C-alpha cells in the first residue's frame, strides 16, 4: 500500500486532517506537540477499498533538522513516504514555507493543504492560493481540517510525480520565500479581538497568575461538583437497580464458599457492601463505574477544553521559571498535566522535551507525584471522609515533594537545561463536536482498558488472600509498613495490588477504617512508591532499563522517606 | 532609543527590528525557522519575572523565548 505522510509545522491541524482522511479517531488539541508518535490509518478512495493509501500522521516539525525526540521521529519517517501532504498554516504562511521548500527538495510527490483557511479572514490575511501554486509548481488546496472543508478536493488532487527543484542554502530559501510572500499574500491591519486580548492578559504575569488560579480553582471545583452529582443522581441509583440481582446470585451461591468469595466477596453484617465486599461483580464493578467514572467524565471534559482552547502553552510560559528549578522548562507542564488524567499518555508526552535528561526527570516526577484521575477519585473517597483538609494535605504533599525532588534530580543528574522556545497559538473556541469526540475517546479507553484491569486486580486480590500469600508478604514487610509508615498490617494488601491498579488499591483501604493520618499516609505512599503496571511498561520503553531502574529506586526511596516523615509529623 | 540592543533589554510594549542573530549554527537555525529573522519587526509583549521567558509578537504570532536565547537576538530601531 502506498504511504501518504502528513507533514507540517506543529499545531497546524495535521491530526484534524488525518481524522478527516481516515476516519481514525485521533487526539486533536491546540498546543504544539500533541502528536508525539506517528499514527497510521487507512484511507479508501472507493467504496470497496481497492484503491487505498496508508496515511501517517507525523509529529510537527519546523524544519528537517530536528530538535526534540518527537521531531526526530518525524524526519525518520520521510524515507518511507510515497506522497506528502504538506499541511501549512495559512495564517503563518511565511514561516511554514521554509519546511515546504525543504520537503520539496526531497523530490517526493507533494501537495499543499493550506489549512486554517477560515482563520485568515479575521486575521486580516489574504492569500492568492492559485498564484502560490503557480510559484511553487505544486497543487495548493485551501482546507479547514476541523470542519472538513477542502478535504475532498485534496484527496482527488493527490500527485503522482515530484517536482524537481535544486537544493538551496538557508539564505537562498528565505530569499525565495520572501519573493513568494510578496506576490501572494496581503496582510491588512485588523483590530485585536476579545480572544486575542484575553490571550495576552493570560500570559502577562500580573494578570496571568490570578487568571491561572481562577481557571484551576474553577476547573477542580466543577470536577468535584459534577462528579458528586453524577454519583448521587446517576450512578448510585443505577447500582440500586442492580442490587437485587446480586443478592439473587449470592443466595444461589449459598452466601459463602470459594465462588461466592470471588464473585460477591465477603458479606458485611450479612449484607453486600459495594465498597468493602471485594467481589468481582460487587466492588470490582462499583469502584471503576460508580466511584471513578463519575470523576473521569468531567475531568476529561475540562482537560480537553483546556487543551483545545490553547491555554496550556500560556500556562507553560507562566510556570517556566519554576520548572527550570527542576531542570525542566515550561513545556513540561504538558506531560505533568496529561498525567493527571492517566500517567500513560503523560509518559509519552515527555517526548515534547528536547533532552534525555529532561525526559527522565519529567517522567520520574510524574510517576511519583502526579496521581491519575482514577487514583485521585479514590483518594477523594478515602480521605474525603475526613473533609477537605485531608485531601488538601495529600495533594500539597505530592506538590511539595515534586519541587524538592525535582530540585534534587536536577542537582544529582547534571546536564544542560534547554530553554523554552514555544509558539503560543491563539485562543480558539473549541470545535465542539471534535471536543466531545475526544472526551468520548478518553472515556471509552477508560472503560475498555481500565475496567477489565480493575476486575483483574480484584480477582488477584481474592486469589492472593485465599492462598495466604498476602498474609505471608505482609509478615515479611510489616517492619517497614507498620514501623516506618505507621500503617496497619492489613494495608499491605493494598500496596501489593497498587503495582497493578492504583484505584483498586486505594479502594482496598476503605474497609480498614483508617484514621485520617493513616489515610493520608497510605494515599501518598500508594501514589509515590511505584507506577501502575501500564505506566511501568510505557516508562520502561521510553526510558530504557537502566534509567527505569534508577527511576524505580527513586520512587521507592521517596515513598518511604515522605511516608515516614508524614508518620512522624501527623 | 538608538543603536543596537539585545532582545533581553527591551521592555514590554517596545518594538525593534531584528539586526542580527548570534550564537551557534544550530541555535541560529532554530530561531530563524520559528520565523524570527533579520529584518523582522518584533514587539515585546511580556517579560516573565525572575529571568523568565520573554513573549514576543512577530508576524502576528506569539512566541515565548528563554532569556539565554533572547540574548542572541540583536535588535535595532524600526
Amino acid at each position: 500500500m502506498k504511504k501518504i505522510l502528513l507533514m507540517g509545522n506543529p499545531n497546524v491541524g495535521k491530526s484534524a486532517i488525518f481524522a478527516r482522511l481516515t476516519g481514525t479517531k485521533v487526539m486533536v488539541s491546540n498546543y504544539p506537540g500533541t502528536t508525539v508518535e506517528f499514527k497510521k490509518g487507512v484511507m479508501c478512495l472507493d467504496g470497496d477499498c481497492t484503491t487505498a493509501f496508508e496515511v501517517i500522521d507525523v509529529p510537527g516539525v519546523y524544519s528537517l533538522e530536528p530538535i526534540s525526540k518527537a521531531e526526530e521521529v518525524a524526519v525518520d519517517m520521510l524515507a518511507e513516504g510515497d506522497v506528502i501532504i504538506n499541511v501549512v498554516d495559512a495564517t503563518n504562511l511565511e514561516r511554514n514555507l521554509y519546511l515546504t521548500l525543504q520537503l520539496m527538495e526531497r523530490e517526493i510527490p507533494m501537495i499543499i493543504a493550506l489549512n486554517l483557511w477560515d482563520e485568515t479572514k479575521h486575521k486580516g490575511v489574504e492569500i492568492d492560493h492559485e498564484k502560490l501554486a503557480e510559484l511553487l509548481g505544486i497543487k495548493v488546496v485551501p482546507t479547514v481540517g476541523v470542519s472538513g472543508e477542502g478535504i475532498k478536493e485534496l484527496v482527488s488532487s493527490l500527485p503522482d510525480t515530484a517536482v524537481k527543484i535544486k537544493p538551496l542554502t538557508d539564505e537562498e530559501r528565505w530569499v525565495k520565500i520572501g519573493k513568494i510572500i510578496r506576490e501572494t499574500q496581503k496582510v491588512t491591519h485588523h483590530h485585536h479581538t476579545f480572544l486575542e486580548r484575553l490571550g495576552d492578559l493570560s500570559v502577562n504575569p500580573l494578570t496571568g497568575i490570578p487568571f491561572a488560579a481562577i481557571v484551576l480553582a474553577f476547573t477542580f471545583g466543577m470536577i468535584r461538583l459534577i462528579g458528586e452529582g453524577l454519583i448521587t443522581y446517576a450512578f448510585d441509583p443505577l447500582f440500586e437497580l442492580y442490587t437485587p440481582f446480586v443478592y439473587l446470585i449470592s443466595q444461589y451461591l449459598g452466601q459463602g464458599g470459594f465462588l461466592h468469595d470471588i464473585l460477591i466477596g465477603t458479606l458485611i453484617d450479612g449484607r453486600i457492601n459495594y465498597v468493602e465486599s471485594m467481589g468481582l461483580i460487587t466492588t470490582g464493578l462499583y469502584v471503576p463505574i460508580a466511584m471513578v467514572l463519575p470523576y473521569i467524565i468531567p475531568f476529561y471534559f475540562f482537560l480537553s477544553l483546556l487543551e483545545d482552547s490553547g491555554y496550556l502553552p500560556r500556562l507553560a510560559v507562566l510556570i517556566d521559571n519554576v520548572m527550570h528549578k527542576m531542570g525542566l522548562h515550561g513545556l513540561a507542564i504538558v506531560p505533568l498535566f496529561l498525567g493527571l488524567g492517566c500517567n500513560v499518555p503523560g509518559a509519552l508526552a515527555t517526548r515534547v522535551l528536547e533532552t534525555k535528561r529532561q525526559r527522565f526527570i519529567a517522567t520520574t516526577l510524574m510517576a511519583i507525584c502526579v496521581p491519575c484521575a482514577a487514583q485521585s477519585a479514590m483518594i477523594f473517597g478515602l480521605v474525603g471522609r475526613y473533609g477537605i483538609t485531608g485531601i488538601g494535605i495529600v495533594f500539597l504533599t505530592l506538590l511539595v515533594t515534586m519541587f524538592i525532588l525535582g530540585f534534587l534530580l536536577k542537582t544529582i543528574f547534571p546536564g544542560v537545561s534547554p530553554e523554552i522556545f514555544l509558539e503560543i497559538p491563539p485562543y480558539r473556541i473549541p470545535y465542539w463536536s471534535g471536543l466531545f469526540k475526544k472526551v468520548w475517546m478518553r472515556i471509552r479507553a477508560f472503560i475498555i482498558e481500565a475496567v477489565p484491569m480493575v476486575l483483574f486486580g480484584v480477582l488477584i486480590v481474592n486469589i492472593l488472600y485465599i492462598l495466604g500469600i498476602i498474609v505471608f508478604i505482609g509478615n515479611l514487610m510489616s517492619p517497614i509498613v507498620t514501623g516506618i509508615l505507621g500503617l496497619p498490617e492489613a494495608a499491605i494488601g493494598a500496596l501489593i495490588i497498587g503495582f497493578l491498579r492504583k484505584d483498586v488499591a486505594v479502594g482496598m483501604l476503605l474497609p480498614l477504617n483508617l484514621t485520617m493520618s493513616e489515610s493520608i499516609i497510605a494515599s501518598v505512599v500508594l501514589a509515590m512508591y511505584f507506577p501502575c503496571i501500564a505506566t511501568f511498561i510505557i516508562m520502561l520503553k521510553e526510558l530504557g532499563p537502566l534509567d527505569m531502574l534508577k527511576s524505580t529506586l527513586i520512587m521507592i526511596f521517596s515513598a518511604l522517606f515522605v511516608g515516614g516523615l508524614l508518620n512522624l509529623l501527623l | 532609543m538608538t543603536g543596537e540592543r539585545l532582545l533581553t533589554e527591551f521592555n514590554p510594549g517596545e518594538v525593534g527590528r531584528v539586526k542580527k542573530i548570534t550564537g551557534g549554527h544550530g541555535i541560529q537555525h532554530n530561531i530563524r525557522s520559528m520565523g524570527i529573522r533579520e529584518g523582522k519587526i518584533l514587539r515585546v509583549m511580556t517579560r516573565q519575572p525572575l529571568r523568565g521567558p520573554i513573549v514576543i509578537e512577530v508576524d502576528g504570532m506569539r512566541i515565548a523565548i528563554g532569556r539565554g536565547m533572547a540574548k542572541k537576538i540583536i535588535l535595532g530601531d524600526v
Side-chain angles (χ1 to χ4, degrees):
Chain A
M1 212 183 320
K2 277 196 166 182
K3 286 195 175 110
I4 299 179
L5 302 182
L6 276 169
M7 295 195 72
N9 284 186
N11 212 35
V12 296
K14 291 176 294 297
S15 295
I17 290 186
F18 176 77
R20 286 279 158 191
L21 292 177
T22 61
T24 311
K25 295 178 177 68
V26 288
M27 296 285 173
V28 180
S29 304
N30 185 17
Y31 59 84
T34 306
T35 308
V36 288
E37 47 175 357
F38 56 87
K39 298 201 177 67
K40 294 179 180 185
V42 173
M43 175 176 80
C44 298
L45 290 185
D46 41 23
D48 52 0
C49 228
T50 42
T51 325
F53 287 93
E54 184 174 51
V55 185
I56 301 169
D57 185 16
V58 182
V61 287
Y62 289 107
S63 75
L64 293 181
E65 291 92 44
I67 48 176
S68 74
K69 189 173 172 188
E71 294 189 351
E72 272 169 41
V73 172
V75 175
D76 291 344
M77 286 305 300
L78 255 184
E80 293 185 35
D82 297 300
V83 184
I84 297 173
I85 296 178
N86 175 212
V87 184
V88 166
D89 176 355
T91 65
N92 265 325
L93 186 59
E94 181 170 349
R95 191 199 62 205
N96 279 246
L97 282 178
Y98 183 82
L99 178 69
T100 304
L101 289 184
Q102 276 196 320
L103 287 173
M104 285 181 74
E105 287 166 20
R106 296 294 179 108
E107 291 183 17
I108 300 168
M110 187 162 106
I111 184 168
I112 289 179
L114 200 53
N115 201 33
L116 301 171
W117 185 246
D118 53 333
E119 281 192 23
T120 54
K121 287 169 199 89
H122 55 251
K123 274 223 162 183
V125 177
E126 238 178 279
I127 298 169
D128 182 348
H129 63 88
E130 279 157 9
K131 182 86 184 175
L132 179 64
E134 188 192 311
L135 290 174
L136 286 171
I138 58 176
K139 179 99 180 156
V140 176
V141 182
T143 55
V144 182
V146 287
S147 73
E149 189 188 322
I151 301 297
K152 267 207 183 109
E153 198 193 338
L154 187 69
V155 173
S156 61
S157 332
L158 287 177
D160 299 317
T161 49
V163 178
K164 265 198 157 88
I165 67 167
K166 79 172 174 49
L168 302 172
T169 64
D170 242 26
E171 199 64 39
E172 291 169 332
R173 271 185 214 126
W174 287 119
V175 171
K176 186 167 173 180
I177 290 167
K179 188 168 164 292
I180 293 173
I181 291 293
R182 275 194 299 280
E183 288 186 42
T184 57
Q185 180 175 285
K186 258 207 307 242
V187 181
T188 47
H189 181 75
H190 78 292
H191 288 285
H192 280 212
T193 61
F194 169 71
L195 280 182
E196 278 174 303
R197 267 195 297 259
L198 188 68
D200 290 336
L201 282 178
S202 54
V203 81
N204 185 320
L206 277 181
T207 42
I209 292 169
F211 185 80
I214 293 169
V215 167
L216 296 181
F218 174 79
T219 305
F220 285 103
M222 285 304 281
I223 291 172
R224 217 172 144 216
L225 192 73
I226 297 173
E228 280 171 7
L230 284 174
I231 291 175
T232 316
Y233 298 110
F235 289 96
D236 272 350
L238 200 72
F239 269 82
E240 266 164 45
L241 294 177
Y242 167 72
T243 307
F245 293 100
V246 189
Y247 273 108
L248 224 63
I249 296 169
S250 175
Q251 291 285 334
Y252 180 76
L253 292 173
Q255 300 196 330
F258 179 75
L259 204 57
H260 189 277
D261 279 352
I262 297 234
L263 282 181
I264 311 286
T266 346
L267 298 179
I268 314 286
D269 302 328
R271 300 194 61 80
I272 289 165
N273 183 322
Y274 281 126
V275 177
E276 301 183 6
S277 286
M278 280 318 265
L280 271 185
I281 64 166
T282 54
T283 309
L285 289 178
Y286 188 79
V287 161
I289 294 170
M291 293 185 82
V292 175
L293 188 60
Y295 287 105
I296 294 273
I297 294 169
F299 179 86
Y300 277 139
F301 174 76
F302 284 103
L303 178 77
S304 307
L305 193 65
L306 286 176
E307 277 185 337
D308 288 12
S309 65
Y311 186 59
L312 283 187
R314 290 174 173 82
L315 204 54
V317 173
L318 287 175
I319 206 153
D320 183 68
N321 237 310
V322 178
M323 291 293 185
H324 268 287
K325 305 275 184 288
M326 302 190 270
L328 302 168
H329 62 60
L331 203 52
I333 193 74
V334 171
L336 295 178
F337 214 81
L338 292 182
L340 283 172
C342 171
N343 278 195
V344 170
L348 283 173
T350 55
R351 291 187 185 178
V352 297
L353 299 168
E354 292 87 352
T355 66
K356 208 173 158 222
R357 171 176 177 255
Q358 285 176 304
R359 290 193 290 271
F360 173 76
I361 295 178
T363 316
T364 305
L365 289 181
M366 185 202 62
I368 295 176
C369 304
V370 179
C372 70
Q375 193 181 2
S376 299
M378 293 303 289
I379 292 176
F380 275 34
L382 177 73
V383 189
R385 294 186 292 193
Y386 303 102
I388 193 84
T389 324
I391 298 177
I393 296 174
V394 171
F395 285 94
L396 195 69
T397 305
L398 292 174
L399 195 68
V400 171
T401 305
M402 184 163 82
F403 291 136
I404 296 174
L405 186 63
F407 178 73
L408 289 175
L409 290 180
K410 180 198 173 186
T411 319
I412 297 168
F413 299 99
V416 286
S417 298
E419 292 188 316
I420 196 167
F421 191 39
L422 173 70
E423 185 182 348
I424 304 172
Y427 275 140
R428 295 189 170 115
I429 302 285
Y431 194 72
W432 296 106
S433 72
L435 179 83
F436 285 120
K437 208 158 102 190
K438 180 154 95 171
V439 175
W440 170 238
M441 273 163 64
R442 286 175 158 158
I443 294 171
R444 210 178 72 119
F446 173 78
I447 296 171
I448 293 176
E449 286 157 31
V451 175
M453 269 304 275
V454 171
L455 289 172
F456 180 66
V458 172
L459 182 69
I460 296 286
V461 175
N462 285 321
I463 291 174
L464 291 182
Y465 263 116
I466 292 168
L467 296 177
I469 291 175
I470 290 193
V471 176
F472 175 73
I473 300 178
N475 289 335
L476 226 61
M477 301 283 288
S478 87
I480 295 176
V481 175
T482 55
I484 299 179
L485 303 175
L487 295 174
E489 224 170 89
I492 290 167
L495 288 170
I496 296 171
I497 291 307
F499 286 99
L500 216 54
R501 262 313 283 190
K502 295 298 181 81
D503 43 6
V504 183
V506 182
M508 286 172 68
L509 298 169
L510 284 165
L512 302 181
N513 289 314
L514 300 178
T515 63
M516 175 164 150
S517 49
E518 284 171 341
S519 305
I520 292 170
I521 296 169
S523 297
V524 169
V525 170
L526 264 179
M528 291 174 54
Y529 78 115
F530 199 77
C532 70
I533 185 81
T535 309
F536 179 81
I537 292 167
I538 294 292
M539 284 180 70
L540 187 63
K541 233 165 56 188
E542 294 290 304
L543 295 179
L546 186 67
D547 275 357
M548 188 63 220
L549 182 69
K550 284 187 213 161
S551 190
T552 309
L553 290 175
I554 295 167
M555 289 170 203
I556 295 171
F557 179 76
S558 312
L560 288 177
F561 184 80
V562 177
L565 198 66
L566 282 176
N567 184 27
L568 290 176
L569 292 175
L570 293 174
Chain B
M1 62 166 256
T2 46
E4 296 178 353
R5 283 186 294 160
L6 304 179
L7 174 56
T8 44
E9 294 165 323
F10 275 65
N11 287 315
E14 280 192 277
V15 178
R17 187 184 289 273
V18 180
K19 274 250 170 109
K20 213 167 110 190
I21 296 167
T22 60
H25 171 79
I27 289 181
Q28 287 195 28
H29 177 84
N30 289 346
I31 293 175
R32 290 201 182 91
S33 61
M34 275 279 233
I36 302 168
R37 298 195 327 272
E38 286 82 351
K40 288 280 170 189
I41 293 174
L42 308 189
R43 172 190 296 274
V44 174
M45 307 299 293
T46 67
R47 287 155 59 97
Q48 300 295 318
L50 304 168
R51 297 185 41 77
I54 295 174
V55 178
I56 57 144
E57 182 187 31
V58 55
D59 284 338
M61 291 182 285
R62 308 281 192 279
I63 298 173
I65 310 174
R67 293 281 166 109
M69 211 178 249
K71 269 192 199 150
K72 312 268 193 262
I73 302 171
I74 298 166
L75 302 169
D77 295 342
V78 175

